[in-house]
Amino acid sequence: MTYAFPPGGLPGQDVMPDGKAVFTTAYAFIPANTMRDIVTSYLPGWTGTRVWIIARPLSGFAETFAQYAVEVAAGGGTDRPEPDQGAQATILVASGQMRLTIDGTSYDLLAGGYAYIPAGSTWALTNPGDAPLQFHWIRKRYEPAAGIERPTAFVTSDQDTPVNWMPGTDKWGTTRFVDPSDLRHDMHMNIVTFRPGGLIPFAETHVMEHGLYVLQGTARYLLNTDWVEVGPGDFMWLRAFCPQACVATGTEDFRYLLYKDVNRHVSLAL
């Protein structure tokens, strides 16, 4: 298994700026080749770190989450990662080594390592290795619910979590780090897998917002009314009710990291 990450760098002057990036009222498609050095940011409280911010709440679009791709140099990191005490975090390591400390307990994560960090946690993160640490980070403000306990922190990995295959097929499945019926959680960060030839056999149209970061493989993806060719490092950002479907292409598994908001009443405030 591989875990794509923004390529960085900068194309040469012999490359024409014909791009496939699209931003519409229903979805955004941000190809990997747009995620270059000149669009990175630096974060207060972090050392040796740069970040691609590839999704942020936008009124009238996708409003519930932010998604980062973070690169930390050897010895870099932070003991003040999150400025918003109401924000929870999910992390997937793409490459390198991560030492993650949550409320005094330390964990060492490698590629495929996954962590859930509840809102209000005291946490820190460093790169103890010699190579850059690269990871995906989703932030969402936690929505408490009456009578429901708050979720607790946990650390696992893609490798240690089974794929849940859809009914009647072994070509389309989801690695679920959280049980979908666990009402403590108001968001999921899953990995969706399609074996070659696998597909979503209908146009999903639903209230959940999505961030989809392609980790591996290629596919044709339906975004609203448009079929888009997607591959490693491409990002799709879907607002609520944007129709979507997928047909895996190529000879290897097609896998993407999926964010969605779940398990809460819809706010009626505008």
Side-chain angles (χ1 to χ4, degrees), residues 95-162:
S95 67
Q97 301 177 51
M98 174 186 292
R99 180 154 299 146
L100 176 65
T101 302
I102 308 172
D103 294 328
T105 301
S106 293
Y107 308 87
D108 289 319
L109 285 72
L110 301 174
Y114 177 92
Y116 172 76
I117 305 167
S121 298
T122 298
W123 59 288
L125 183 156
T126 59
N127 176 4
D130 296 326
L133 163 66
Q134 299 177 327
F135 66 94
H136 299 282
W137 176 16
I138 289 176
R139 302 170 62 225
K140 180 186 183 295
R141 188 166 288 171
Y142 183 69
E143 297 179 52
I148 304 294
E149 294 182 359
R150 287 177 175 257
T152 55
F154 68 90
V155 172
T156 184
S157 71
D158 179 23
Q159 295 86 344
D160 291 336
T161 309

Side-chain angles (χ1 to χ4, degrees), residues 24 45 65 85 115 132 144 181 188 191 209 231 256 260 263:
T24 75
F65 75 107
Q85 285 298 297
S181 66
H188 291 161
I191 296 176
E209 298 175 346
Y256 57 81
K260 62 180 177 180
N263 295 346

Side-chain angles (χ1 to χ4, degrees), residues 8-144:
L10 191 67
Q13 289 292 293
D14 58 337
V15 178
M16 293 302 293
D18 300 327
K20 296 181 179 180
V22 176
F23 188 88
T24 75
T25 56
Y27 74 90
F29 173 62
I30 307 175
N33 67 6
T34 68
M35 301 182 201
R36 300 296 184 170
D37 290 354
I38 61 173
V39 297
T40 58
S41 297
Y42 300 94
L43 297 175
W46 292 69
T47 60
T49 300
R50 62 178 183 169
V51 56
W52 287 264
I53 299 176
I54 54 179
R56 56 166 290 178
L58 291 178
S59 179
F61 195 70
E63 301 178 333
T64 62
F65 75 107
Q67 186 157 341
Y68 297 1
V70 184
E71 184 173 78
V72 182
T78 181
D79 58 5
R80 300 186 305 278
E82 176 55 72
D84 187 340
Q85 285 298 297
Q88 60 194 318
T90 52
I91 285 172
L92 178 75
V93 177
S95 67
Q97 301 177 51
M98 174 186 292
R99 180 154 299 146
L100 176 65
T101 302
I102 308 172
D103 294 328
T105 301
S106 293
Y107 308 87
D108 289 319
L109 285 72
L110 301 174
Y114 177 92
Y116 172 76
I117 305 167
S121 298
T122 298
W123 59 288
L125 183 156
T126 59
N127 176 4
D130 296 326
L133 163 66
Q134 299 177 327
F135 66 94
H136 299 282
W137 176 16
I138 289 176
R139 302 170 62 225
K140 180 186 183 295
R141 188 166 288 171
Y142 183 69
E143 297 179 52

